[in-house]
Amino acid sequence: MTEAKPVSGTNLQKISDRYSESERLLSEARRYLAAGVSSNARLVGKRPPLFITHAQGSALIDANGNRYIDYVIGLGPMILGHRAEAIETAILESLAIGQVFGGQSSLEAQLAARIVDLVPCAELVRFTNTGTEADLLAVRLARAFTGRPKIIKFEGHYHGWGDGLAVSIKPPFVQADLRNSVQTHPESLGMTPSSYEDVNVLPWNDLDAIDAYLNWQGQTVAGVIMEPVMCNNGVITPSPGYLEKVRELCTACGALLIFDEVITGFRLAPGGAQERLGVIPDLAIFGKALAAGVPMGCVAGRADVMDMLTQGVMHGGTYSGNVTGLSVGLATLEQTCTLGGQALKTLDSMGNQLIERLEESLKRHRIAGQVQGYGAHFGLLFAPRERRILNFQDLRLVDRSAGDEFVAKMLDVGVRITSRASYFLSTAHTSSNIQDTAEAADAILAEMARQK
């Protein structure tokens, strides 16, 4: 497959023609699939969900034959790009071993040992199939270990779609003076209040809020769970000193600090955000880049907490620790985390080049916008540069319609970014990809500026 390049201009092809096959296939799929998709996240945006025929490296081709530079890469898992040779080899070799034994494989201990070696908080590991499962297990472990009921989570942070944690992910905006009076907002119909009654929601990046709560109710809190970088809503980074202070507060009141590193793990550094940012939680949750596209998750953390799995905490999973997932996990970490994580440093550097180019374009075309995150994963927010976005409620300042327009126009010219205008880099992205993407974004931002 040749390298994907953006097409010049959007008038070469009518939008309805460009996505006609995806539209047709979606209509056909709706006859058999609920909403025509297997995840509601794929229905978001101004363009139809793409039906992909094949992919390789940083490139995707859709049912209409359109070619894209792909910065979605499966919403993060494809850290090595699509169809990486090392991953295909690991999958084929795993087929000669078997898949699910209902018993143990030595691969489990091998991959767990690698994770313990890389991740600062990891003393013991338990494998799951998904990040959602790992989140639910981490919360169960925290409650069992502490004997306390309450969990603190933060507005805008995503910890899977399970009833016990799927609250206040995208809640309504409230008045600024009510920020410390956060209401727990269920994200779905079908959730009963009893399923999340012991989950308390706070604004993130707000030390006063969590300090006040833990000083008031700290002895009832089992754990504080957060994305160490708020990846699922804008890729918002923690303020200087925030994670360190939350770590201190949790230690002081005996609550466990839980990092959801499903996105940041094995992406921001071999040891995840906790290595890069220098704050070590008690438990951490991993997925996505752990196994380069094969379903795999895990909880890793302190041995005394993880030992609760031998003292009455139930966790099961027919497919947990399946041979293919373990084989691919070992192959992925071999590619990304050896030589001090040089591969991750390289993709991070390329992403930083793209961040710099985007910031230059925003400034040149006098468009209100800010880029947050790290080279490996970052987001573009159409909001005034003078005030940094710190948490979910600050997203009220973001021009969402401009973001939606930018995402759609980038797709029209062959650059695929997430519906929230964020970018995932992979080791398959090239300097040419970065150059072409920057030029496409600059042309679109210039057009948007003219249309103001």
PDB file of all heavy atoms in Angstrom, residues 48-70:
ATOM      1  N   PRO A  48     -20.544  10.366   7.698  1.00  0.00           N
ATOM      2  CA  PRO A  48     -20.982   9.009   8.070  1.00  0.00           C
ATOM      3  C   PRO A  48     -19.812   8.183   8.601  1.00  0.00           C
ATOM      4  O   PRO A  48     -18.649   8.471   8.260  1.00  0.00           O
ATOM      5  CB  PRO A  48     -21.500   8.434   6.745  1.00  0.00           C
ATOM      6  CG  PRO A  48     -20.795   9.210   5.690  1.00  0.00           C
ATOM      7  CD  PRO A  48     -20.632  10.593   6.247  1.00  0.00           C
ATOM      8  N   PRO A  49     -20.091   7.196   9.441  1.00  0.00           N
ATOM      9  CA  PRO A  49     -19.005   6.317   9.882  1.00  0.00           C
ATOM     10  C   PRO A  49     -18.401   5.602   8.678  1.00  0.00           C
ATOM     11  O   PRO A  49     -19.114   5.057   7.845  1.00  0.00           O
ATOM     12  CB  PRO A  49     -19.705   5.330  10.831  1.00  0.00           C
ATOM     13  CG  PRO A  49     -21.151   5.403  10.491  1.00  0.00           C
ATOM     14  CD  PRO A  49     -21.399   6.782   9.987  1.00  0.00           C
ATOM     15  N   LEU A  50     -17.083   5.659   8.586  1.00  0.00           N
ATOM     16  CA  LEU A  50     -16.408   5.059   7.438  1.00  0.00           C
ATOM     17  C   LEU A  50     -16.456   3.535   7.506  1.00  0.00           C
ATOM     18  O   LEU A  50     -16.269   2.945   8.573  1.00  0.00           O
ATOM     19  CB  LEU A  50     -14.942   5.493   7.388  1.00  0.00           C
ATOM     20  CG  LEU A  50     -14.645   6.962   7.115  1.00  0.00           C
ATOM     21  CD1 LEU A  50     -13.135   7.166   7.031  1.00  0.00           C
ATOM     22  CD2 LEU A  50     -15.324   7.460   5.852  1.00  0.00           C
ATOM     23  N   PHE A  51     -16.687   2.914   6.374  1.00  0.00           N
ATOM     24  CA  PHE A  51     -16.506   1.474   6.239  1.00  0.00           C
ATOM     25  C   PHE A  51     -15.144   1.267   5.589  1.00  0.00           C
ATOM     26  O   PHE A  51     -14.900   1.701   4.471  1.00  0.00           O
ATOM     27  CB  PHE A  51     -17.627   0.871   5.401  1.00  0.00           C
ATOM     28  CG  PHE A  51     -18.868   0.596   6.198  1.00  0.00           C
ATOM     29  CD1 PHE A  51     -19.634   1.644   6.683  1.00  0.00           C
ATOM     30  CD2 PHE A  51     -19.256  -0.702   6.508  1.00  0.00           C
ATOM     31  CE1 PHE A  51     -20.770   1.404   7.445  1.00  0.00           C
ATOM     32  CE2 PHE A  51     -20.389  -0.952   7.258  1.00  0.00           C
ATOM     33  CZ  PHE A  51     -21.146   0.097   7.731  1.00  0.00           C
ATOM     34  N   ILE A  52     -14.245   0.624   6.325  1.00  0.00           N
ATOM     35  CA  ILE A  52     -12.862   0.456   5.900  1.00  0.00           C
ATOM     36  C   ILE A  52     -12.706  -0.870   5.186  1.00  0.00           C
ATOM     37  O   ILE A  52     -13.161  -1.910   5.668  1.00  0.00           O
ATOM     38  CB  ILE A  52     -11.911   0.512   7.113  1.00  0.00           C
ATOM     39  CG1 ILE A  52     -12.181   1.765   7.964  1.00  0.00           C
ATOM     40  CG2 ILE A  52     -10.465   0.449   6.658  1.00  0.00           C
ATOM     41  CD1 ILE A  52     -12.037   3.063   7.241  1.00  0.00           C
ATOM     42  N   THR A  53     -12.045  -0.850   4.035  1.00  0.00           N
ATOM     43  CA  THR A  53     -11.794  -2.105   3.319  1.00  0.00           C
ATOM     44  C   THR A  53     -10.442  -2.695   3.686  1.00  0.00           C
ATOM     45  O   THR A  53     -10.314  -3.916   3.789  1.00  0.00           O
ATOM     46  CB  THR A  53     -11.844  -1.886   1.798  1.00  0.00           C
ATOM     47  OG1 THR A  53     -10.861  -0.898   1.419  1.00  0.00           O
ATOM     48  CG2 THR A  53     -13.229  -1.409   1.371  1.00  0.00           C
ATOM     49  N   HIS A  54      -9.436  -1.853   3.878  1.00  0.00           N
ATOM     50  CA  HIS A  54      -8.141  -2.351   4.325  1.00  0.00           C
ATOM     51  C   HIS A  54      -7.282  -1.209   4.842  1.00  0.00           C
ATOM     52  O   HIS A  54      -7.598  -0.034   4.641  1.00  0.00           O
ATOM     53  CB  HIS A  54      -7.407  -3.137   3.234  1.00  0.00           C
ATOM     54  CG  HIS A  54      -7.252  -2.426   1.928  1.00  0.00           C
ATOM     55  ND1 HIS A  54      -8.306  -2.121   1.111  1.00  0.00           N
ATOM     56  CD2 HIS A  54      -6.144  -1.970   1.300  1.00  0.00           C
ATOM     57  CE1 HIS A  54      -7.872  -1.511   0.023  1.00  0.00           C
ATOM     58  NE2 HIS A  54      -6.565  -1.398   0.108  1.00  0.00           N
ATOM     59  N   ALA A  55      -6.214  -1.597   5.539  1.00  0.00           N
ATOM     60  CA  ALA A  55      -5.334  -0.625   6.172  1.00  0.00           C
ATOM     61  C   ALA A  55      -3.931  -1.192   6.277  1.00  0.00           C
ATOM     62  O   ALA A  55      -3.750  -2.414   6.364  1.00  0.00           O
ATOM     63  CB  ALA A  55      -5.847  -0.272   7.567  1.00  0.00           C
ATOM     64  N   GLN A  56      -2.955  -0.318   6.256  1.00  0.00           N
ATOM     65  CA  GLN A  56      -1.577  -0.734   6.502  1.00  0.00           C
ATOM     66  C   GLN A  56      -0.765   0.484   6.912  1.00  0.00           C
ATOM     67  O   GLN A  56      -0.924   1.567   6.335  1.00  0.00           O
ATOM     68  CB  GLN A  56      -0.945  -1.385   5.267  1.00  0.00           C
ATOM     69  CG  GLN A  56       0.426  -1.978   5.564  1.00  0.00           C
ATOM     70  CD  GLN A  56       0.848  -3.004   4.521  1.00  0.00           C
ATOM     71  OE1 GLN A  56       0.154  -3.240   3.552  1.00  0.00           O
ATOM     72  NE2 GLN A  56       1.997  -3.609   4.735  1.00  0.00           N
ATOM     73  N   GLY A  57       0.082   0.299   7.908  1.00  0.00           N
ATOM     74  CA  GLY A  57       0.900   1.401   8.379  1.00  0.00           C
ATOM     75  C   GLY A  57       0.043   2.530   8.911  1.00  0.00           C
ATOM     76  O   GLY A  57      -0.809   2.327   9.777  1.00  0.00           O
ATOM     77  N   SER A  58       0.230   3.720   8.377  1.00  0.00           N
ATOM     78  CA  SER A  58      -0.558   4.878   8.814  1.00  0.00           C
ATOM     79  C   SER A  58      -1.726   5.154   7.878  1.00  0.00           C
ATOM     80  O   SER A  58      -2.397   6.178   8.004  1.00  0.00           O
ATOM     81  CB  SER A  58       0.344   6.125   8.861  1.00  0.00           C
ATOM     82  OG  SER A  58       0.844   6.421   7.558  1.00  0.00           O
ATOM     83  N   ALA A  59      -1.984   4.248   6.934  1.00  0.00           N
ATOM     84  CA  ALA A  59      -2.979   4.495   5.894  1.00  0.00           C
ATOM     85  C   ALA A  59      -4.216   3.616   6.031  1.00  0.00           C
ATOM     86  O   ALA A  59      -4.134   2.444   6.413  1.00  0.00           O
ATOM     87  CB  ALA A  59      -2.358   4.272   4.522  1.00  0.00           C
ATOM     88  N   LEU A  60      -5.364   4.218   5.697  1.00  0.00           N
ATOM     89  CA  LEU A  60      -6.640   3.504   5.603  1.00  0.00           C
ATOM     90  C   LEU A  60      -7.219   3.737   4.213  1.00  0.00           C
ATOM     91  O   LEU A  60      -7.041   4.805   3.622  1.00  0.00           O
ATOM     92  CB  LEU A  60      -7.653   4.047   6.618  1.00  0.00           C
ATOM     93  CG  LEU A  60      -7.485   3.793   8.100  1.00  0.00           C
ATOM     94  CD1 LEU A  60      -8.612   4.487   8.860  1.00  0.00           C
ATOM     95  CD2 LEU A  60      -7.502   2.313   8.401  1.00  0.00           C
ATOM     96  N   ILE A  61      -7.969   2.760   3.706  1.00  0.00           N
ATOM     97  CA  ILE A  61      -8.750   2.940   2.482  1.00  0.00           C
ATOM     98  C   ILE A  61     -10.184   2.548   2.785  1.00  0.00           C
ATOM     99  O   ILE A  61     -10.449   1.488   3.362  1.00  0.00           O
ATOM    100  CB  ILE A  61      -8.198   2.109   1.318  1.00  0.00           C
ATOM    101  CG1 ILE A  61      -6.809   2.624   0.934  1.00  0.00           C
ATOM    102  CG2 ILE A  61      -9.123   2.180   0.112  1.00  0.00           C
ATOM    103  CD1 ILE A  61      -6.178   1.905  -0.221  1.00  0.00           C
ATOM    104  N   ASP A  62     -11.123   3.432   2.412  1.00  0.00           N
ATOM    105  CA  ASP A  62     -12.537   3.160   2.699  1.00  0.00           C
ATOM    106  C   ASP A  62     -13.215   2.506   1.505  1.00  0.00           C
ATOM    107  O   ASP A  62     -12.599   2.246   0.463  1.00  0.00           O
ATOM    108  CB  ASP A  62     -13.255   4.432   3.162  1.00  0.00           C
ATOM    109  CG  ASP A  62     -13.474   5.451   2.055  1.00  0.00           C
ATOM    110  OD1 ASP A  62     -13.253   5.137   0.873  1.00  0.00           O
ATOM    111  OD2 ASP A  62     -13.882   6.595   2.386  1.00  0.00           O
ATOM    112  N   ALA A  63     -14.511   2.244   1.678  1.00  0.00           N
ATOM    113  CA  ALA A  63     -15.265   1.502   0.668  1.00  0.00           C
ATOM    114  C   ALA A  63     -15.390   2.252  -0.644  1.00  0.00           C
ATOM    115  O   ALA A  63     -15.685   1.646  -1.683  1.00  0.00           O
ATOM    116  CB  ALA A  63     -16.649   1.159   1.218  1.00  0.00           C
ATOM    117  N   ASN A  64     -15.182   3.560  -0.630  1.00  0.00           N
ATOM    118  CA  ASN A  64     -15.190   4.345  -1.863  1.00  0.00           C
ATOM    119  C   ASN A  64     -13.813   4.438  -2.513  1.00  0.00           C
ATOM    120  O   ASN A  64     -13.652   5.063  -3.553  1.00  0.00           O
ATOM    121  CB  ASN A  64     -15.689   5.770  -1.591  1.00  0.00           C
ATOM    122  CG  ASN A  64     -17.193   5.879  -1.639  1.00  0.00           C
ATOM    123  OD1 ASN A  64     -17.860   5.626  -0.649  1.00  0.00           O
ATOM    124  ND2 ASN A  64     -17.746   6.230  -2.801  1.00  0.00           N
ATOM    125  N   GLY A  65     -12.825   3.823  -1.869  1.00  0.00           N
ATOM    126  CA  GLY A  65     -11.464   3.896  -2.391  1.00  0.00           C
ATOM    127  C   GLY A  65     -10.706   5.122  -1.943  1.00  0.00           C
ATOM    128  O   GLY A  65      -9.575   5.356  -2.402  1.00  0.00           O
ATOM    129  N   ASN A  66     -11.285   5.913  -1.047  1.00  0.00           N
ATOM    130  CA  ASN A  66     -10.587   7.076  -0.514  1.00  0.00           C
ATOM    131  C   ASN A  66      -9.458   6.630   0.413  1.00  0.00           C
ATOM    132  O   ASN A  66      -9.624   5.707   1.208  1.00  0.00           O
ATOM    133  CB  ASN A  66     -11.546   7.978   0.275  1.00  0.00           C
ATOM    134  CG  ASN A  66     -12.696   8.476  -0.568  1.00  0.00           C
ATOM    135  OD1 ASN A  66     -12.487   8.986  -1.664  1.00  0.00           O
ATOM    136  ND2 ASN A  66     -13.920   8.335  -0.066  1.00  0.00           N
ATOM    137  N   ARG A  67      -8.337   7.309   0.322  1.00  0.00           N
ATOM    138  CA  ARG A  67      -7.159   6.979   1.125  1.00  0.00           C
ATOM    139  C   ARG A  67      -6.960   8.045   2.197  1.00  0.00           C
ATOM    140  O   ARG A  67      -7.112   9.234   1.935  1.00  0.00           O
ATOM    141  CB  ARG A  67      -5.930   6.896   0.219  1.00  0.00           C
ATOM    142  CG  ARG A  67      -4.680   6.347   0.873  1.00  0.00           C
ATOM    143  CD  ARG A  67      -3.545   6.328  -0.148  1.00  0.00           C
ATOM    144  NE  ARG A  67      -3.836   5.455  -1.253  1.00  0.00           N
ATOM    145  CZ  ARG A  67      -3.536   4.151  -1.295  1.00  0.00           C
ATOM    146  NH1 ARG A  67      -2.912   3.598  -0.266  1.00  0.00           N
ATOM    147  NH2 ARG A  67      -3.828   3.418  -2.337  1.00  0.00           N
ATOM    148  N   TYR A  68      -6.635   7.611   3.411  1.00  0.00           N
ATOM    149  CA  TYR A  68      -6.510   8.533   4.544  1.00  0.00           C
ATOM    150  C   TYR A  68      -5.204   8.317   5.291  1.00  0.00           C
ATOM    151  O   TYR A  68      -4.739   7.179   5.444  1.00  0.00           O
ATOM    152  CB  TYR A  68      -7.652   8.302   5.556  1.00  0.00           C
ATOM    153  CG  TYR A  68      -9.030   8.472   4.987  1.00  0.00           C
ATOM    154  CD1 TYR A  68      -9.692   7.390   4.412  1.00  0.00           C
ATOM    155  CD2 TYR A  68      -9.674   9.711   5.011  1.00  0.00           C
ATOM    156  CE1 TYR A  68     -10.960   7.531   3.874  1.00  0.00           C
ATOM    157  CE2 TYR A  68     -10.945   9.859   4.490  1.00  0.00           C
ATOM    158  CZ  TYR A  68     -11.579   8.774   3.907  1.00  0.00           C
ATOM    159  OH  TYR A  68     -12.832   8.920   3.373  1.00  0.00           O
ATOM    160  N   ILE A  69      -4.618   9.424   5.765  1.00  0.00           N
ATOM    161  CA  ILE A  69      -3.617   9.323   6.828  1.00  0.00           C
ATOM    162  C   ILE A  69      -4.410   9.174   8.115  1.00  0.00           C
ATOM    163  O   ILE A  69      -5.240  10.026   8.449  1.00  0.00           O
ATOM    164  CB  ILE A  69      -2.744  10.585   6.902  1.00  0.00           C
ATOM    165  CG1 ILE A  69      -2.039  10.841   5.578  1.00  0.00           C
ATOM    166  CG2 ILE A  69      -1.708  10.441   8.032  1.00  0.00           C
ATOM    167  CD1 ILE A  69      -1.289  12.168   5.539  1.00  0.00           C
ATOM    168  N   ASP A  70      -4.170   8.117   8.849  1.00  0.00           N
ATOM    169  CA  ASP A  70      -5.026   7.763   9.983  1.00  0.00           C
ATOM    170  C   ASP A  70      -4.380   8.135  11.309  1.00  0.00           C
ATOM    171  O   ASP A  70      -3.361   7.569  11.695  1.00  0.00           O
ATOM    172  CB  ASP A  70      -5.316   6.259   9.947  1.00  0.00           C
ATOM    173  CG  ASP A  70      -6.302   5.833  11.015  1.00  0.00           C
ATOM    174  OD1 ASP A  70      -7.101   6.683  11.452  1.00  0.00           O
ATOM    175  OD2 ASP A  70      -6.291   4.648  11.394  1.00  0.00           O
TER     176      ASP A  70
END
